[in-house]
Amino acid sequence: MADLALMLAVFGFAFLAGYLLIRGVPPMLHTPLMSMTNAISAVTILGALLLFSVESGAVSTALGLAALIMASFNLVGGLVITDRMLRMFRKKE
Amino acid sequence: MHTGWQFIVDAGVILLLLAGVSQFRALPSARRGNLAAALALLCGIAAVLFRNPPLEPGAVVIAVLAGSLAGWAVALRVDMVQIPAMVAFQHGAGGVAAFLVSFVELTRHAAALTGIARPAGILGLIVGAATFSGSMVASGKLAGRLASRPVVLRHHNALLLLLIGLMAALALTGGAGPVLWLSLLGLVLLSILLGVLFSARIGGADMPVLISFLNATAGAAAALCGILIQNRLLIACGATVAASGSLLTYFMCRAMNRSLVRVFAGSLPGAPAAQPAPEPVAPASGQDPFVRAAESLRDARSVIVVPGYGMAQAHAQLETVQLGEILARMGKQVRFAVHPVAGRMPGHMHVLLAEAGVDPDTLLDITEINSDFSSTDVALIVGACDVVNPAAITQPGTPISGMPILNAHEARHAVVCNLDRRPGYSGVENSLYAEPATIFLEGDAKVTLRRLFETLQPPASAA
């Protein structure tokens, strides 16, 4: 039960903090914002890595590898494209 | 799992991530914010590897490298016009990872799962799988591989309800061994079908809502997966993403004056299938519209450019920015007014114009610039229709009535560079086109704008 309360607290805190911070993001940066948060949702890579810390069957391993590939694609792709976009927003001299 | 230092590491990662997100509130620091988020996730990965080293490091490294390199290569190559399709695809990749992890955990530790872990995991499985297929359909529509029209099946709502009913039944079966496997597999397949049916009936111009919503569900899937495996970082990161996606969804709905339910119900309320055909007559004045447009621009002291999805379709962002530069060099005040739902995702127009080299300070939001149209000489519309349609204000009962629009009709002249005079996505005739002060330059915006440059600066006098 303590676990459940802690998990709900973590979820609530992160949702509220995210909400308050993101409310102030100007519309100009909405695409990079979505692209970055999308990369953050690839945090499931941690879950995929944890799958490999214990003994498991062939199917589980195969699914775990697929999850790793997709999550790392999502993570790196999302962060790199966000950086590329943000570099384009340059002030004119 | 509650040793003190682990808690501190997790808290540090979460705070670093939130600090990164907070940097997005201003342009100059946004890039740093993205790097901070990258660093936070890297720390999270390092912490996991340190705490729970993989038994087969070789396979793990190869899989991560393969995914990372593919992501990197795609991210460097993708054309900015294709950003919405790319982001939607990425949402799908996130969904896949979330539902695969949930699937393996649910089958592997079936007996050990207690309390909320199992229901959260099953929900994560459903949300992840539906996000995956919904995103693939959205990405296909955004990339032009699928028709962007809403696809509505007969009894669409009944089908969705039936699917949800079946999924609830499967989710409650439980069991162990092969029965559990089969029920979860069935759940994944039904969720995939649900995502397809869900996205299929959302049309092109409602994509900003759909893509934001999928952003939120991808985050929710990660958070649910985190509850299943009792991992604080997954929960916190997923929750932050869900908050961001929800907010963007809300902003997009507000900018269209439509509720989420009405967007997801697909059809535009009351949009008549057949509108009276627009009269193809040329404007009363027999003069070449390009000459009239060039004259009005030459006489203007202030110009507001209004880009829309048509600019993206015509790949005319460079020409649009160039025309702005030419006008600025002629001593005119040039600003860009971007409607929140112009384009196919939140901020789409800003990214395209930034790629074309626009000065970010001249990109203004509807609330910042709307009152300035009345004191502006020329509103130059490039591929935008519904977002400048005065019918939203003047005509009650249309699908866009009450939608906030950019008041281009208040400018002394409106120069419209649109492909044709047909109504936009809403199906409502654009009454701006019929105004006497409107000069309509019909055709592909790239071609039209180039012709406008030439008319504006005859080659002989061009410096």
Side-chain angles (χ1 to χ4, degrees):
Chain A
M1 228 45 223
D3 276 354
L4 175 62
L6 182 66
M7 287 192 291
L8 288 179
V10 170
F11 185 92
F13 167 74
F15 192 93
L16 192 68
Y19 177 87
L20 292 175
L21 292 175
I22 288 157
R23 213 169 40 159
V25 174
M28 189 196 291
L29 294 177
H30 278 170
T31 294
L33 171 74
M34 189 188 284
S35 176
M36 181 195 68
T37 55
N38 173 245
I40 296 175
S41 68
V43 67
T44 44
I45 194 169
L46 303 183
L49 287 170
L50 285 169
L51 294 177
F52 287 88
S53 63
V54 289
E55 216 50 72
S56 62
V59 182
S60 293
T61 306
L63 293 177
L65 286 175
L68 272 184
I69 293 173
M70 293 313 268
S72 45
F73 175 85
N74 191 193
L75 181 64
V76 174
L79 293 170
V80 172
I81 195 102
T82 307
D83 191 61
R84 231 188 101 193
M85 280 191 272
L86 290 172
R87 267 185 289 146
M88 296 186 319
F89 284 97
R90 284 254 173 73
K91 286 218 179 204
K92 284 263 157 146
E93 291 310 318
Chain B
M1 117 158 233
H2 289 290
T3 62
W5 71 271
Q6 282 175 356
F7 189 84
I8 292 169
V9 169
D10 284 0
V13 170
I14 294 167
L15 290 179
L16 182 57
L17 183 93
L18 289 173
V21 169
S22 76
Q23 298 299 300
F24 267 70
R25 287 179 299 171
L27 179 57
S29 59
R31 211 174 154 208
R32 212 176 331 138
N34 189 45
L35 291 177
L39 188 64
L41 288 165
L42 210 60
C43 291
I45 291 172
V48 163
L49 288 178
F50 185 71
R51 272 183 237 169
N52 309 82
L55 299 178
E56 300 161 85
V60 168
V61 167
I62 290 172
V64 170
L65 272 183
S68 305
L69 287 176
W72 192 302
V74 171
L76 287 182
R77 296 235 171 93
V78 68
D79 178 10
M80 287 298 142
V81 174
Q82 290 297 352
I83 284 284
M86 163 83 179
V87 172
F89 185 85
Q90 293 271 27
H91 290 339
V96 171
F99 92 70
L100 286 177
V101 173
S102 299
F103 187 88
V104 174
E105 286 288 341
L106 282 168
T107 50
R108 211 167 55 170
H109 298 306
L113 293 177
T114 54
I116 195 162
R118 197 181 126 83
I122 288 189
L123 208 54
L125 187 77
I126 294 171
V127 175
T131 301
F132 157 65
S133 58
S135 302
M136 290 305 134
V137 171
S139 180
K141 286 187 179 200
L142 289 164
R145 284 193 301 272
L146 296 174
S148 70
R149 269 178 298 103
V151 177
V152 186
L153 303 177
R154 275 204 298 165
H155 312 301
H156 207 117
N157 282 329
L159 276 174
L160 287 176
L161 280 177
L162 179 70
L163 264 181
I164 292 169
L166 282 175
M167 286 160 62
L170 273 180
L172 294 173
T173 15
V179 180
L180 179 70
W181 261 87
L182 279 178
S183 69
L184 290 182
L185 206 59
L187 211 48
V188 168
L189 293 177
L190 291 177
S191 306
I192 287 176
L193 195 58
L194 181 76
V196 172
L197 285 181
F198 182 80
S199 286
R201 70 170 169 183
I202 298 173
D206 287 335
M207 282 296 154
V209 178
L210 178 62
I211 198 171
S212 306
F213 185 75
L214 291 168
N215 186 208
T217 59
L224 288 164
C225 182
I227 295 176
L228 168 65
I229 64 172
Q230 310 217 333
N231 184 303
R232 285 183 293 258
L233 286 182
L234 256 72
I235 299 172
C237 292
T240 307
V241 178
S244 174
S246 308
L247 256 180
L248 289 176
T249 309
Y250 166 70
F251 289 154
M252 294 300 107
C253 283
R254 191 181 57 182
M256 292 199 292
N257 191 37
R258 293 174 67 198
S259 73
L260 193 59
V261 175
R262 279 165 84 184
V263 172
F264 289 160
S267 55
L268 280 157
Q275 285 271 337
E279 38 313 14
V281 288
S285 150
Q287 217 186 350
D288 179 0
F290 281 91
V291 174
R292 285 175 59 217
E295 258 168 29
S296 68
L297 284 172
R298 223 176 273 127
D299 296 342
R301 281 188 311 147
S302 54
V303 177
I304 298 179
V305 183
V306 181
Y309 182 58
M311 179 188 81
Q313 275 185 313
H315 292 245
Q317 59 270 30
L318 196 62
E319 284 75 9
T320 306
V321 172
Q322 279 171 350
L323 181 62
E325 282 166 1
I326 291 172
L327 292 169
R329 273 203 299 275
M330 291 164 80
K332 300 165 197 321
Q333 182 196 35
V334 180
R335 290 174 298 169
F336 294 79
V338 187
H339 193 277
V341 293
R344 287 296 185 255
M345 73 180 291
H348 188 190
M349 295 292 113
H350 301 92
V351 169
L352 289 180
L353 292 171
E355 183 194 23
V358 77
D359 178 353
D361 288 342
T362 61
L363 286 176
L364 297 170
D365 195 16
I366 182 166
T367 49
E368 294 168 313
I369 204 166
N370 228 6
S371 54
D372 291 5
F373 275 104
S374 52
S375 55
T376 294
D377 296 312
V378 177
L380 180 73
I381 292 148
V382 185
C385 183
D386 287 334
V387 297
V388 290
N389 190 346
I393 301 171
T394 57
Q395 287 177 32
T398 74
I400 54 168
S401 299
M403 168 173 136
I405 59 156
L406 289 165
N407 295 329
H409 58 281
E410 288 182 353
R412 213 146 63 82
H413 288 286
V415 173
V416 183
C417 306
N418 284 1
L419 190 60
D420 53 42
R421 289 166 181 272
R422 286 204 310 247
Y425 175 74
S426 70
V428 182
E429 284 295 327
N430 195 336
S431 55
L432 177 68
Y433 298 170
E435 301 266 342
T438 298
I439 304 164
F440 200 97
L441 306 178
E442 197 167 317
D444 181 272
K446 205 178 177 93
V447 179
T448 309
L449 287 174
R450 286 202 178 136
R451 214 175 128 191
L452 192 56
F453 295 167
E454 285 161 18
T455 323
L456 203 58
Q457 307 181 296
S461 67

